[in-house]
Amino acid sequence: LEDRCVSEILYKIRHHEIGNNPFLIVIILSSEFGPMTINKFINNGVSDILVSPVSSSHLLKRIETLKDNQQIYVVTVDYIGPERRNDTRPETQQISRIAVPNVLNFKATPGKNEKSLERAIEATTKLVNKEKMDRQAFQISYLVDEIMPLYEADDVSDDVIALIERLEVVSSELVRRMAGTHKAYMSKLANTVLQVASSIAKSPLSPETTDLQLLPELGVAVQKAFFATDEEIQLVQDITDTVKDRSA
């Protein structure tokens, strides 16, 4: 397969867009690797990369290593996949480390129960999805905080356009991930963020005044609403209805 095709498939597996197990161990084997290609594979969550030709004994050794080691994943707004760093960079948001099911180990160990594996994959997928939604909610608020001062200063440039496009992508992904989760009650609010972002993206140099007025309110609403306690859910629904009415 071509590099681009492999990268897209790998991304979709890790982000649970295809297949029923985002934690598959994926080894990429190729005779031609450039730095950009390797980085793309790594950034999309590959388990291992081997340069061919490779001996069968070396390949088996790498497979044994993957089988015997616990898979630890991290989730950011852009990345889902194996943890790459052993330490946390200073002044960065703490990222949770998630132990995910090692299907290769399961398949290689006699006497394992298939249903227990399915339950483990389902439970861990939900945990990863929650982490991802949390990151996206933070990202929406961050992007709004970056966008608004530029419009207020009449500093509309390619940077603003890129930020708006990014907001549209993140909010669209959040809407997709919320379906069928405990955060589904917020779908109207997330959809409103997407609608406003899409409206501004159509004409970023001269957006509708209503959209610009609504955007900072949406940023605050998402941040407050997304992390509401059970007792605050009714308040969240009131916020959502108010924002929906204003956007209409």
Side-chain angles (χ1 to χ4, degrees), residues 93-160:
Q93 188 179 10
Q94 185 66 39
I95 298 175
S96 300
R97 302 169 76 249
I98 300 173
V100 305
N102 187 329
V103 180
L104 181 59
N105 182 279
F106 182 94
K107 296 291 186 181
T109 305
K112 292 290 186 75
N113 183 282
E114 192 77 26
K115 290 295 182 183
S116 67
L117 173 63
E118 292 175 4
R119 288 194 295 269
I121 291 172
E122 182 179 359
T124 312
T125 300
K126 288 180 179 179
L127 179 58
V128 167
N129 195 51
K130 178 185 178 302
E131 285 285 327
K132 189 71 171 180
M133 290 190 296
D134 287 350
R135 303 294 171 188
Q136 289 166 335
F138 275 117
Q139 182 75 355
I140 286 172
S141 296
Y142 166 79
L143 289 169
V144 171
D145 288 345
E146 291 290 304
I147 290 167
M148 290 310 302
L150 296 176
Y151 274 114
E152 289 166 359
D154 199 23
D155 183 15
V156 182
S157 63
D158 290 343
D159 292 339
V160 175

Side-chain angles (χ1 to χ4, degrees), residues 77-92:
V77 71
D78 294 310
Y79 177 77
I80 298 175
E83 183 181 38
R84 303 297 180 189
R85 296 196 300 269
N86 294 323
D87 56 353
T88 301
R89 295 178 182 176
E91 300 180 1
T92 58

